């Protein structure tokens, strides 16, 4: 009798090794800072980075996982898609930590909890990329969201707190929709496991109406996270209000994680309903690229402009999703990688131009930047070119791949919209370049000249160029990762 | 030796790069470096020649593979250099005459603020010219072809502060471009119809069976159009007289000895196409003959020292094409080589005159220069006698052979016209000689002889101009002709016609008659040539303006073209296109500002937008389900 209770499914912790390492490091850092308040932040940074590196090593070890497709009672997927998504996210987190260390030290707001919060958020992000059960998706989503709410408000500035509050309110709103979607999926198919839902829908044993409602609700929840129109309203306020390193981390990380989960949910569970959800994604993609590109024109603050730009980029990834299958997933993964690089780089430059805190984020501060710092102006130019999708940058290859996949799937009108929107978008990216190179500086504020942060910002620049000129070096890996196993 | 043939073009390229970036710092060494590299290139070219001569006659073709240039699908172009008698001949002319002119430029360009730049362009030109003649396929040839065009543009407009030089450079570029465009189409057609751009693959007599002969006519005529532009033949000749705005060494190197002969080289190289076509060969013949005589008449009406020589060059090139049209390819090449010597000599002597007179080129303000500049005058005289065709100078042999072939070809009218051209050539060159170096002194400043760095090259070229004839004493059995025979084929002379000795006498008489008339009018002092030109003002103006061809082009083509462009620029571009662009821009600005207003900053509005989205999605779900 008792033995019956003691029989439990085999527990394989290997596939959640990266998350275990991350949370473990986070707890160590948190406790260390709590028990020794005078501990140097460089130590905290170092330990955190080591944790990220450890998690990355464990992730790489999972590349050739020969065991079951899902572990922990079907909760966690072990495919290469999860490995690649994790690696991208860990890289983003490392950049975010380095930025934050430097930023808060200069702004005098250094807080030890920054490090564990980023690590927890990262753990949520990487877990969501591997989640094979809607419940786990929701849990991971909450882990990362709660950490990000706090991170947004970590500065005492009013706009930071305001952004945090808005993010939290609307985030809670969207979480409710998401949870409702999980319930609907359960109602339709009797399971929350992605593979079980897929089998039920493929065998047409579930309720189609409930299943469609589930897709809609889950889509709304994800739409909020990736900042798709019309669920994007929080983005400019939060991106502007949050301290710039948090913005960089959030803009890159949340988008990658949420898209990874969205891809997995749409391409596994609801794959039998592809014909039903594709028009929905199609429409949202079109509206998102157009609205994001359009409203960005009217912005006068670079962080807000980049926020709208990130909305538009979410639209481009959605375009890739309309092209179902390996081609679309591979294109989306490369786009996310390229996007993460350029958004990290762009916000990095924004942080350095602002020098201390958030005082100088208006576009006017960029007038004549070339005179002040050729390096920063050059780096920002590169990231803007990549954001605009101009060769030889990764952003160009990313757009080409997305458009190619969409055209191959027959969605050329959507590609047409995307191309036209990127023409509009080119305007506001190039306007910043005009400001930097062709106008006189309006004040004599000096940008941050610390050497190490510059090196950090140069890393995404080098990769943006590298993947722009030799995309083959990652495309092969991404193609292998673009097969979801469940 | 052949392994290092790539060095021949590479050396001037290296010189061009060095002088482009470090020319300022090198100072006077820039010219010495550039000239030295050309001398080394010439020595290497001699080595290649020696190597080639050791091979049996029918094996004198070596293709040196440097690597793959373009490889796209089935389209493959290799970077191959072709070493055969024809390319070696051209290579020797380019490096030999080029080296001499480089040395001369050291003195001529001395003190120019862009001294290093000049030598950089000159070296670059030699690189492209050598690429052109050494290319083993049409695309590499075209690379060189466009490259020399670029250098020609840069060097004609070298003194771009002068509006005339700048516009002459532009004109040269645009006019030759017309021919180049046809040529590019021709090259594309070669690839499309014959399947390859490689010379060895397509330039063989058996290619005839691949396509109907009409295709070869079209290809040959398109290629010839490129030659017409580059070699300044009628009707695309108008750029060359204007190109004299460039420094005189440029005129000597590019617009007399080498680049303008590229067209001759091209036709000789691709003569297989022309022969298969037959029609194309006749076109070459007619254009060449018309140009030879037409330009000779124009040369008579020029008062500018260099413009006389420019029209003379056009005329001489016409003779070369005439010879090509008669299938006397080797005779054309022989004239090309000798012309390179004596025309370069004439140009450099003219440059020496300009150097001595502070840039003066107007014949009306010269005269009696033989006293102030005896050496230059002697050198110019050698060149003049050569071009006039006085034996035993090189020009005599070359021109005489062409006339001989013409006489035997059966085109008796062609022979007579060519003979008239020979008379005119002797006339215009003696007119030039007597006006500049004899008669009354009409100069406005004291002339002086040029420094040795300029006169020694003159002497070198004069040796070539005098003794160049030994290269090809006979049209059938000359050394050069025999050397080129494996590439260009043996000349099959038509039966009949006058005996060779009689023909020689006739052509010498034509030359002497020209000189005699020239002396009578311009040298003897017995005829008042100034009064003569007033009396026949109409004729003089007609010739001075080159039969008003330029003016016809200006009014019929250039002016309407400019008007059309102005209309497109002001009305269509500024109003319609810019209007559309700006309108679209404003539309987006407006839409953006409206869209921005939705972003109120109030969470309740954000939530509302969110809910609107939810409702719309569920409308879709509802529609989908029903």
């Amino acid at each position: 009798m008792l033995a019956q209770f003691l029989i439990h499914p085999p527990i394989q912790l290997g596939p959640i090794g990266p998350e275990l390492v991350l949370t473990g490091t986070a707890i160590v850092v948190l406790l260390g800072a709590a028990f020794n308040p005078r501990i140097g932040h460089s130590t905290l940074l170092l330990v955190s980075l080591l944790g990220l590196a450890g998690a990355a090593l464990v992730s790489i070890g999972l590349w050739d996982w020969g065991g079951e497709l899902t572990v922990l009672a079907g909760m966690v997927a072990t495919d290469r898609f999860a490995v690649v998504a994790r690696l991208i996210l860990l890289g983003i987190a490392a950049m975010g930590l380095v930025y934050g260390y430097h930023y808060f030290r200069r702004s005098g707001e250094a807080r030890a909890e920054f490090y564990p919060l980023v690590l927890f958020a990262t753990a949520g992000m990487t877990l969501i990329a591997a989640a094979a059960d809607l419940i786990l998706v929701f849990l991971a989503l909450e882990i990362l969201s709660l950490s990000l709410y706090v991170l947004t408000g970590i500065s005492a500035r009013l706009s930071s707190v305001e952004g945090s509050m808005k993010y939290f309110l609307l985030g809670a709103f969207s979480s409710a929709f998401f949870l409702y979607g999980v319930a609907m999926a359960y109602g339709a198919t009797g399971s929350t496991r992605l593979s079980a839902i897929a089998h039920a829908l493929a065998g047409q044993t579930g309720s189609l109406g409930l299943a469609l409602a589930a897709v809609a609700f889950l889509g709304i929840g994800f739409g909020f996270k990736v900042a798709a129109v019309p669920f994007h309203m929080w983005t400019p306020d939060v991106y502007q209000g949050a301290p710039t390193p948090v913005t960089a981390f959030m803009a890159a990380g949340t988008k990658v994680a949420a898209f990874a989960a969205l891809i997995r949910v749409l391409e596994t569970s609801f794959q039998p309903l592809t014909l039903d959800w594709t028009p929905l994604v199609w429409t949202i993609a079109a509206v998102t690229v157009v609205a994001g590109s359009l409203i960005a024109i009217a912005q006068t603050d670079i962080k807000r402009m980049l926020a709208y730009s990130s909305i538009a980029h979410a639209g481009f990834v959605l375009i890739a999703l309309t092209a179902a299958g390996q081609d679309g997933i591979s294109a989306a993964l490369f786009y996310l990688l390229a996007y993460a690089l350029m958004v990290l780089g762009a916000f990095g430059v924004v942080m350095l131009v602002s020098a201390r805190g958030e005082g100088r984020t208006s576009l006017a501060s960029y007038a004549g930047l070339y005179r002040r710092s050729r390096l920063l102006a050059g780096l920002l130019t590169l990231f803007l070119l990549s954001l605009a999708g101009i060769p030889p940058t990764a952003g160009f290859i990313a757009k080409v791949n997305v458009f190619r996949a969409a055209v191959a799937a027959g969605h050329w009108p959507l590609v047409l919209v995307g191309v036209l929107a990127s023409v509009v978008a080119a305007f506001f990216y190039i306007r910043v370049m005009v400001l930097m190179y062709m106008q006189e500086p309006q004040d004599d504020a000096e940008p941050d000249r610390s050497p190490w942060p510059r090196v950090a910002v140069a890393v995404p620049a080098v990769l943006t160029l590298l993947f722009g000129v030799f995309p083959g070096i990652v495309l092969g890996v991404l193609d292998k990762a673009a097969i979801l196993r469940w | 030796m052949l392994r290092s043939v790539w060095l021949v073009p590479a050396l001037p390229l290296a010189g061009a790069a060095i002088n482009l970036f470090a020319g300022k710092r090198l100072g006077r060494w820039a010219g010495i470096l550039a000239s030295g590299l050309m001398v080394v290139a010439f020595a290497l070219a001699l080595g290649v020649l020696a190597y080639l001569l050791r091979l049996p006659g029918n094996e004198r073709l070596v293709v040196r593979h440097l690597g793959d240039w373009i490889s796209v699908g089935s389209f493959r172009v290799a970077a191959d250099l072709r070493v055969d008698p024809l390319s070696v001949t051209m290579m020797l002319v380019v490096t030999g005459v080029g080296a001499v002119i480089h040395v001369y430029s050291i003195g001529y360009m001395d003190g120019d603020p862009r001294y290093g730049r000049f030598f950089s362009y000159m070296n670059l030109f030699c690189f492209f010219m050598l690429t052109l003649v050494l290319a083993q396929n049409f695309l590499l040839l075209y690379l060189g072809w466009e490259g020399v065009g670029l250098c020609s543009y840069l060097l004609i407009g070298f003194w771009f502060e002068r509006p005339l030089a700048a516009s002459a450079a532009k004109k040269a570029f645009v006019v030759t471009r017309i021919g180049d465009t046809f040529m590019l189409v021709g090259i594309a057609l070669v690839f499309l119809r014959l399947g390859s751009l490689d010379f060895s693959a397509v330039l063989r007599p058996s290619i005839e069976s691949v396509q109907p002969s009409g295709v070869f006519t079209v290809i040959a005529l398109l290629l010839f159009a490129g030659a017409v532009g580059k070699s300044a033949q009628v009707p695309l000749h108008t750029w060359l007289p204007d190109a004299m705005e460039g420094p005189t060494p440029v005129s000597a190197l590019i617009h007399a000895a080498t680049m303008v002969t590229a067209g001759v080289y091209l036709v000789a190289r691709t003569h297989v196409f022309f022969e298969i076509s037959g029609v194309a060969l006749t076109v070459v013949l007619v254009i060449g003959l018309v140009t030879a005589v037409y330009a000779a008449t124009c040369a008579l009406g020029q008062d500018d020292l260099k413009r006389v020589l420019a029209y003379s060059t056009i005329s001489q090139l016409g003779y070369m094409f005439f010879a090509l049209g008669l299938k006397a390819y080797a005779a054309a090449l022989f004239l090309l080589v000798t012309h390179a010597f004596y025309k370069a000599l004439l140009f450099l002597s003219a440059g020496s005159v300009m150097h001595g007179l502070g840039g003066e080129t107007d014949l009306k303000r010269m005269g009696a220069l033989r006293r102030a500049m005896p050496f230059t005058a002697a050198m110019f005289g050698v060149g003049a006698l050569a071009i006039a065709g006085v034996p035993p100078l090189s020009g005599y042999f070359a021109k005489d052979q062409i006339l001989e072939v013409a006489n035997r070809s059966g085109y008796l009218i062609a022979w007579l016209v060519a003979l008239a051209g020979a008379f005119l050539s002797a006339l215009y060159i003696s007119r030039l000689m007597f006006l500049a170096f004899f008669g009354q002194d009409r100069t406005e400043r004291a002339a002086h002889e040029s420094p040795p760095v300029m006169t020694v090259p003159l002497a070198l070229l004069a040796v070539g101009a005098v003794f160049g004839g030994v290269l090809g004493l006979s049209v059938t059995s000359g050394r050069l002709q025999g050397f080129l025979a494996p590439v260009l084929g043996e000349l099959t002379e038509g039966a009949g016609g006058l005996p060779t000795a009689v023909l020689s006498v006739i052509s010498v008489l034509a030359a002497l008659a020209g000189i005699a008339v020239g002396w009578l009018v311009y040298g003897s002092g017995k005829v008042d040539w100034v009064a003569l030109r007033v009396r026949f003002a109409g004729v003089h103006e007609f010739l001075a303006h080159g039969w008003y061809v330029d003016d016809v082009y200006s009014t019929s083509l250039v002016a309407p073209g400019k008007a059309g462009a102005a209309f497109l620029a002001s009305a269509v571009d500024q109003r319609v296109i810019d209007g559309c662009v700006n309108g679209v821009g404003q539309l987006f600005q407006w839409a953006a500002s409206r869209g921005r207003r939705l972003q109120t900053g109030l969470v309740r509005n954000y939530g509302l937008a969110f809910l609107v989205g939810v409702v719309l999605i569920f409308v879709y779900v509802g529609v989908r389900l029903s």
Side-chain angles (χ1 to χ4, degrees), chain A residues 162 166 169-170 173-174 177 208-209 212-213 216-217 220 224 230-234 236-237 275-276 279-280 284 294-295 297-300 304 308 424 427, chain B residues 585 587-589 591-618 620-622 624-625:
Chain A
E162 181 193 327
K166 281 178 176 168
L169 280 174
L170 291 166
F173 197 47
S174 81
F177 280 96
L208 182 64
L212 264 185
F217 279 126
I220 290 162
F224 174 83
F231 316 110
H232 68 287
M233 301 293 256
W234 59 276
D237 292 2
L275 287 178
D276 296 295
L280 205 56
I284 295 176
L294 200 59
I295 304 176
I297 293 176
Q299 301 308 316
T300 54
R304 284 187 86 85
Y308 280 104
V424 173
F427 167 76
Chain B
L587 180 75
F588 278 114
Q589 293 271 15
S593 63
R594 298 302 293 241
R596 193 185 172 193
R597 269 188 232 166
L598 291 174
Q599 192 79 25
T600 51
L602 300 173
V603 179
R604 56 173 183 272
N605 288 355
Y606 296 1
L608 187 64
F610 197 118
L611 268 183
V612 170
V614 171
V615 169
L616 286 176
I617 286 174
F618 272 89
Y620 167 78
V621 170
R624 190 84 199 173
L625 279 175

Side-chain angles (χ1 to χ4, degrees), chain A residues 377-438:
Chain A
L379 286 172
L380 188 55
T381 304
L382 179 72
F383 296 127
L384 291 172
L385 286 176
S386 188
L387 286 165
I390 292 168
T393 58
F396 166 70
I397 304 286
K399 277 208 173 69
V400 168
N401 277 343
V402 164
F403 289 159
R404 199 184 52 199
V407 167
H411 299 306
W412 62 266
L414 181 58
V415 169
L416 199 65
V417 173
V419 169
L420 290 176
S422 36
V423 173
V424 173
F427 167 76
F428 58 81
Y429 296 127
I430 292 172
R431 185 177 56 178
V432 178
M433 295 181 210
V434 171
L435 281 172
M436 290 193 297
Y437 291 97
M438 296 174 167

Side-chain angles (χ1 to χ4, degrees), chain B residues 23 33 95 141 252 259 261 284 312 314 319 346 350 368 376 399 414 431 472 509 512 517 549 563 584-585 596 608:
Chain B
L33 171 81
T95 52
L141 179 142
M259 184 189 83
T261 62
V284 174
S312 158
I314 297 174
Y319 272 108
L346 286 169
T376 301
K399 195 178 297 177
R431 168 179 177 266
L509 284 178
L512 291 179
V517 174
V549 172
V584 169
R596 193 185 172 193
L608 187 64

Side-chain angles (χ1 to χ4, degrees), chain A residues 38-362:
Chain A
R38 274 177 297 178
I39 195 165
H41 279 211
S42 48
T43 315
L44 298 179
L45 174 71
L46 194 68
V47 174
S48 305
L49 286 178
L50 282 175
L52 290 174
L57 283 177
V58 176
S59 302
I60 293 168
L62 291 171
W63 178 259
D64 283 321
W65 173 262
E68 289 159 66
L69 299 181
T70 54
V71 297
L72 299 172
M75 280 281 180
V76 176
T78 57
D79 52 14
R80 289 174 171 180
F81 179 80
V83 174
V84 165
R86 276 190 183 115
L87 288 176
I88 297 173
L89 288 164
L90 291 170
I92 294 168
M95 292 296 296
L97 283 173
V98 172
Y99 284 180
Y101 169 74
H102 176 73
Y103 174 92
F104 290 116
R105 220 166 44 133
R106 271 191 79 111
S107 71
E109 301 174 301
R111 293 179 182 220
E113 57 267 38
F114 172 75
Y115 305 96
L117 279 170
V118 169
L119 291 175
F120 281 131
T122 309
M125 290 170 182
T126 56
L127 192 56
I128 204 175
D133 189 299
L134 286 176
I135 295 293
L136 189 62
V137 173
F138 178 73
L139 272 177
L141 207 56
E142 288 303 299
I143 294 173
L144 82 91
S145 297
L146 288 169
S147 312
L148 286 177
Y149 300 150
V150 182
L151 278 171
T152 305
I154 200 165
S155 160
R157 278 177 302 107
L158 192 61
S159 64
S160 172
V161 177
E162 181 193 327
S164 172
M165 200 62 204
K166 281 178 176 168
Y167 195 16
F168 171 68
L169 280 174
L170 291 166
F173 197 47
S174 81
S175 288
F177 280 96
F178 188 89
L179 207 47
Y180 204 15
V182 177
M184 291 279 187
Y186 186 80
T189 62
S191 175
T192 56
R193 207 178 294 173
L194 297 184
S195 53
I197 295 171
H199 288 308
L201 292 176
Q204 296 187 322
T205 54
S207 151
L208 182 64
L210 280 179
L212 264 185
V215 175
F217 279 126
L218 292 173
I220 290 162
F222 280 120
F224 174 83
K225 280 293 160 203
V226 303
V229 176
F231 316 110
H232 68 287
M233 301 293 256
W234 59 276
T235 318
D237 292 2
V238 174
Y239 280 19
Q240 188 186 16
T244 307
V246 174
T247 311
F249 171 65
M250 171 164 64
T254 317
K255 204 146 289 195
V256 174
F259 264 116
L262 177 60
I263 289 169
R264 190 184 287 285
V265 169
L266 286 181
E267 294 286 331
T268 58
S269 296
F270 297 100
Q271 203 261 339
L273 301 183
T274 302
L275 287 178
D276 296 295
W277 57 255
T278 301
L280 205 56
V281 175
W282 198 106
T283 313
I284 295 176
V287 174
T288 304
V289 286
V290 170
S293 303
L294 200 59
I295 304 176
I297 293 176
Q299 301 308 316
T300 54
D301 182 283
I302 195 154
K303 286 176 83 178
R304 284 187 86 85
M305 192 198 90
L306 287 173
Y308 280 104
S309 145
S310 94
I311 293 169
H313 283 288
F316 285 111
V317 183
L318 286 172
I319 291 179
L321 291 195
T322 62
Q326 192 187 358
D327 233 23
I329 298 176
S330 170
L333 273 179
F334 188 85
Y335 202 100
L336 288 169
L337 173 62
Y339 165 79
L341 288 174
M342 55 213 189
V343 86
L344 281 170
F347 277 116
V349 176
V350 168
M351 175 179 84
L352 294 180
V353 170
S354 198
R356 184 162 293 147
E358 303 286 326
R360 294 169 45 75
T361 59
S362 76

Side-chain angles (χ1 to χ4, degrees), chain B residues 61 94 155 184 222 282 332 372 374 401 403 433 452 481 506 587 619:
Chain B
L61 165 63
V94 175
L155 285 164
L184 188 59
L222 286 168
T282 312
Q401 284 172 17
L403 290 172
M433 184 78 204
Q481 288 88 336
I506 294 176
L587 180 75
V619 168

Side-chain angles (χ1 to χ4, degrees), chain B residues 228-383:
Chain B
V228 165
K230 199 61 104 192
S231 295
Q233 297 294 290
V234 172
L236 295 179
H237 64 284
T238 53
W239 64 271
L240 189 58
D242 289 2
M244 296 300 118
E245 291 295 333
T248 303
V250 172
S251 310
L253 177 63
I254 300 183
H255 305 121
T258 56
M259 184 189 83
V260 288
T261 62
V264 179
Y265 167 78
L266 178 69
V267 175
R269 174 61 81 197
T270 59
H271 69 276
V272 176
F273 295 161
F274 287 82
E275 281 189 14
I276 295 172
S277 157
V279 181
L281 215 48
T282 312
V283 172
V284 174
L285 185 148
V286 172
I287 295 266
L289 188 59
V290 167
T291 307
V293 177
Y294 157 80
T297 62
C298 296
L300 275 175
Q302 306 303 317
D303 285 335
D304 184 293
L305 180 61
K306 287 180 70 183
R307 284 180 81 91
V308 178
L309 294 178
Y311 274 111
S312 158
T313 302
I314 297 174
S315 170
Q316 296 281 309
L317 291 165
Y319 272 108
M320 294 177 209
F321 282 104
F322 177 56
L324 293 172
L326 293 167
K327 297 198 205 174
Y329 311 114
L333 261 291
F334 182 40
L335 179 58
L336 188 158
V337 173
T338 53
H339 175 256
F341 286 127
Y342 60 71
K343 188 50 68 62
L345 172 63
L346 286 169
F347 264 116
L348 294 191
S349 305
S352 176
V353 169
M354 289 164 64
H355 192 75
L357 287 176
E360 182 62 72
T361 59
D362 193 343
L363 287 171
K364 294 195 293 290
R365 289 197 282 272
M366 291 183 189
L369 286 173
R370 74 195 139 93
R371 284 186 215 113
M373 315 175 76
F375 187 78
T376 301
M379 292 300 108
F380 197 94
V382 169

